[in-house]
Amino acid sequence: MGLLCSRNRRYNEADVEENAQAEEIERRIEQETKAEKHIQKLLLLGSGESGKSTIFKQIKLLFQTGFDEAELKSYISVIHANVYQSIKILCDGSKEFAQNETDSSKYALSSENKEIGEKLSEIGGWLEYPHLTKELAQDIETLWNDAAIQETYARGNELQVPDCALYFMENLERLSDGNYIPTKDDVLYARVRTTGVVEIQFR
């Protein structure tokens, strides 16, 4: 009999402790809810290349301190990667259209640019891209101005050419400068695949 009472007392003590913990948790939740009442939360969902990260960058520019020099410099490799990826997509797309389309001749690179196309397409497939030098920028510009690449770019939506391609191709000389530091516009145009959840707080 005494043993049974002792067990009941232990159970009662455990219940009291559990109830106290539950009350403490409820109290904390209520405090946090009150503290966050004035906070508005916005969840951005969308497919790749729909502009979610760009909105985050714009918020940083408009409502925070913007990008300091170190942050701007961190985008150099991203921007150079965008250039190499774009020209590779266009080179490969041009070759594909030249093989499969009835009016294939307009997608064929000029004989003097074929070698440049092969070289840039190969670089665009590397895991790590080289720094964009003046020489490489000149090759990219030459290829960009080829009529076949322009015809291919006109069908860029079929190849998923990044939206930033035209902007960066028009700024190759600046992007390949040895002292290049990205501008705010460069950062906004830069495309990098975002994985996971990104959170930003602003007032």
Side-chain angles (χ1 to χ4, degrees):
M1 252 351 217
L3 185 60
L4 186 59
C5 289
S6 163
R7 276 188 187 164
N8 281 342
R9 191 179 302 119
R10 264 187 298 173
Y11 287 147
N12 287 339
E13 286 171 5
D15 288 345
V16 168
E17 194 176 317
E18 282 179 19
N19 287 340
Q21 286 177 348
E23 284 173 15
E24 176 63 18
I25 290 169
E26 290 291 334
R27 189 182 60 77
R28 283 186 190 170
I29 290 172
E30 196 175 325
Q31 280 179 341
E32 287 173 14
T33 303
K34 281 179 185 174
E36 292 187 2
K37 240 179 187 177
H38 69 286
I39 295 174
Q40 301 295 319
K41 294 184 180 181
L42 178 67
L43 176 65
L44 298 177
L45 299 173
S47 60
E49 295 289 315
S50 63
K52 301 179 299 296
S53 296
T54 304
I55 289 174
F56 272 86
K57 289 183 223 172
Q58 289 170 332
I59 288 170
K60 190 172 176 67
L61 287 170
L62 293 171
F63 300 104
Q64 295 185 320
T65 56
F67 298 97
D68 60 31
E69 190 171 319
E71 286 176 301
L72 290 172
K73 284 182 175 177
S74 73
Y75 274 91
I76 294 174
S77 59
V78 172
I79 290 165
H80 288 179
N82 287 170
V83 171
Y84 288 121
Q85 290 159 356
S86 297
I87 205 66
K88 175 180 171 50
I89 292 169
L90 290 168
C91 285
D92 295 350
S94 169
K95 192 184 291 186
E96 184 185 326
F97 290 155
Q99 289 171 350
N100 301 322
E101 298 297 315
T102 50
D103 52 349
S104 60
S105 60
K106 69 179 184 178
Y107 298 106
L109 288 172
S110 62
S111 53
E112 59 268 23
N113 288 340
K114 277 185 181 175
E115 193 177 327
I116 296 174
E118 291 298 325
K119 178 177 83 171
L120 292 174
S121 184
E122 183 185 335
I123 291 173
W126 292 356
L127 291 175
E128 288 188 25
Y129 303 107
H131 191 77
L132 185 62
T133 62
K134 289 287 184 188
E135 293 76 21
L136 283 167
Q138 184 60 57
D139 284 345
I140 293 167
E141 187 173 6
T142 300
L143 201 61
W144 170 251
N145 290 324
D146 189 291
I149 294 296
Q150 287 301 306
E151 288 288 347
T152 305
Y153 178 70
R155 295 176 61 180
N157 60 321
E158 298 173 50
L159 302 168
Q160 294 185 326
V161 175
D163 293 340
C164 61
L166 177 62
Y167 175 80
F168 288 141
M169 294 302 165
E170 289 177 342
N171 288 279
L172 285 169
E173 186 176 347
R174 185 171 58 80
L175 302 182
S176 60
D177 188 278
N179 298 315
Y180 168 62
I181 296 175
T183 65
K184 291 173 187 176
D185 283 344
D186 294 347
V187 170
L188 288 174
Y189 273 101
R191 293 289 169 264
V192 61
R193 185 181 294 277
T194 308
T195 56
V197 177
V198 178
E199 183 178 319
I200 187 170
Q201 295 184 6
F202 62 98
R203 294 174 188 271

